[in-house]
Amino acid sequence: MLAIAILAAGKGTRMKSDLPKVLHSLAGKSLIDRVLSCTQGLKPNRRLIIVGHHANLVEESLKKYRDLDFVLQEPQNGTGHAIQQLRPQLKGFKGELLVLNGDVPLLKEATLSSLLKFHKESNASVTFLSASLNSPTGYGRVFTDKSGLVKEIIEDRDCTNEQRKNNLINAGIYCFDWQQLSDVLNLLSNQNSQNELYLTDTISLLKKAFHFEVDNPFEIKGINDRVQLSECERYIQERLKSFWMGKGVSFVDPISCSLSEDSNFGTDVIIEPQTHFRGKCTIGNGCHLGPGSVITNSTLAENVLAIHSFINEASIGNDTSIGPFAHIRPESNISKNSKIGNFVEIKKSFIGEGTKINHLSYVGDSTLGKNINIGAGTITANFDGKNKHRTIIDDSSKTGANSVLVAPIKIGSHVTIGAGSTVSKDIPDKSLVVERSKAIIRTKTD
Ligand code: UD1
Ligand code: CA
């Protein structure tokens, strides 16, 4: 049997934040989400989350997981005290308890599998992940005897200067035999610099404690402050960009761009500086994106250009040009060979093939056919103060500069609307419409 407990009750004092530490995010995913996602494949019998500081916020953020049990730790008297709270939940439980720190987000599932395997094969009371760090400051130090058994872990702030020179650190990821652990949990004392009950003190109380050193120390990096948060972000970003460069994506200035792990790219994609991908994006071959674009939860087909533009929850067809300075908002579908130009906003609209909306327009709640030309400054007036209404324009129509289309409205195909018209009636196919007051021209007499 395997139970997994994640420590997530601490305040994260060193973050200097109102948000609980485990809800801070890395490449768009919270720390706790990341920790949880590396436990999915281990097929645990139980997953318990120890919450305390802003427990409701942490629980709320994890609603999507159905199998979690939340255990309240109140007050938060240290990591050992946190695990003591599991006793009622795990009464009678036999097997391994895997304890994960909620603030160690880069951990890999494969490492946890190896830890579990090593633990079982060595018949240990506890096995925990360790690493040899060049700068071990802040971490608990691991002390072993000649046979390699761990004697104790001493927290950085409780170490003597001599002990602090030891660079073998505790990663805060443990596999315990639950029955042996529960026998020593009530022996913990708070005689330390923080007056807390330390989970690390159980190590010297257990019969057979081993450490399991990870190959890549970055994997077990703990986040206590915002500098460490940014170091982890950089690590993720560098890894993602190298991966995609290996698959045929060019970054002109990689440092200034950011990616999400759920984004996918084709080949010969060129990403210019200051361009960011968030959520789940699918980018086709030959796209040329940026500088200065932000693409969120969107699908771009092949050879799309997007300069200085925002594309959010939209789908963009082949050979389409977006921007500079366009804003494509959710539920928009832009068909191939079309052009959305300077200072144009599109919301919840379908734009047909070859249609051009080149300058200074707002198109919302609309369905536009093929080969339409939307003149500069055309606005769909979709909101009557209470409700939103649709605009429909059929193939090959043209709107003049500064047209206002008052929705609900249907403009037929091959229609021409004169510049400056405010149109509020449906227009049949193949017609010309001009709505404009008569110009008054008088010769000046003085
Ligand atoms: C802890 C370890 C340290 C290790 C380091 C690895 C202890 C005493 N020390 O130190 O040996 O090198 O992690 O990153 O365990 N938490 C609770 N309840 C509490 C206190 C903390 O749930 O009462 C949670 C926090 O939310 C956090 C985790 O436990 O997710 C670790 O707490 P933190 O205070 O960051 O421990 P460290 O000082 O980093
Ligand atoms: Ca920590």
Side-chain angles (χ1 to χ4, degrees), residues 377-395:
T378 296
I379 304 292
T380 57
N382 60 331
F383 188 48
D384 62 11
K386 264 194 185 153
N387 298 306
K388 300 275 168 68
H389 300 283
R390 294 204 70 78
T391 298
I392 297 170
I393 308 178
D394 285 344
D395 297 351

Side-chain angles (χ1 to χ4, degrees), residues 237-250:
Q237 290 300 335
E238 278 173 6
R239 221 177 34 176
L240 282 171
K241 283 172 234 170
S242 318
F243 174 82
W244 287 112
M245 286 192 241
K247 300 268 179 199
V249 176
S250 287

Side-chain angles (χ1 to χ4, degrees), residues 6-14 21-22 50-52 73 75-83 100-104 136 138-141 153-157 169-174 192 194 196-201 220-224:
I6 300 180
L7 297 169
K11 180 164 186 275
T13 314
R14 291 164 276 184
K21 175 165 68 179
V22 295
I50 299 162
V51 290
Q73 182 201 10
Q76 293 89 45
N77 283 340
T79 49
H81 178 250
I83 295 299
L100 308 177
N101 268 6
D103 64 351
V104 180
Y139 291 96
R141 306 299 205 282
I153 298 175
I154 306 179
E155 289 308 295
D156 185 74
R157 53 181 108 208
I169 63 99
N170 164 33
I173 314 293
Y174 320 76
N192 52 55
Q194 296 192 91
E196 286 185 350
L197 301 179
Y198 288 166
L199 183 60
T200 45
D201 286 348
I220 49 85
K221 193 169 172 62
I223 294 181
N224 295 320

Side-chain angles (χ1 to χ4, degrees), residues 254-281:
I255 286 174
S256 73
C257 297
S258 62
L259 305 187
S260 62
E261 284 144 319
D262 295 334
S263 289
N264 276 290
F265 298 84
T267 53
D268 288 319
V269 172
I270 298 177
I271 299 172
E272 299 265 6
Q274 304 284 0
T275 295
H276 307 278
F277 298 84
R278 297 181 179 156
K280 196 172 161 61
C281 295

Side-chain angles (χ1 to χ4, degrees), residues 300-318:
L300 277 54
E302 301 195 349
N303 305 317
V304 174
L305 306 179
I307 305 174
H308 280 291
S309 292
F310 281 71
I311 302 175
N312 186 9
E313 290 179 27
S315 163
I316 315 285
N318 288 339

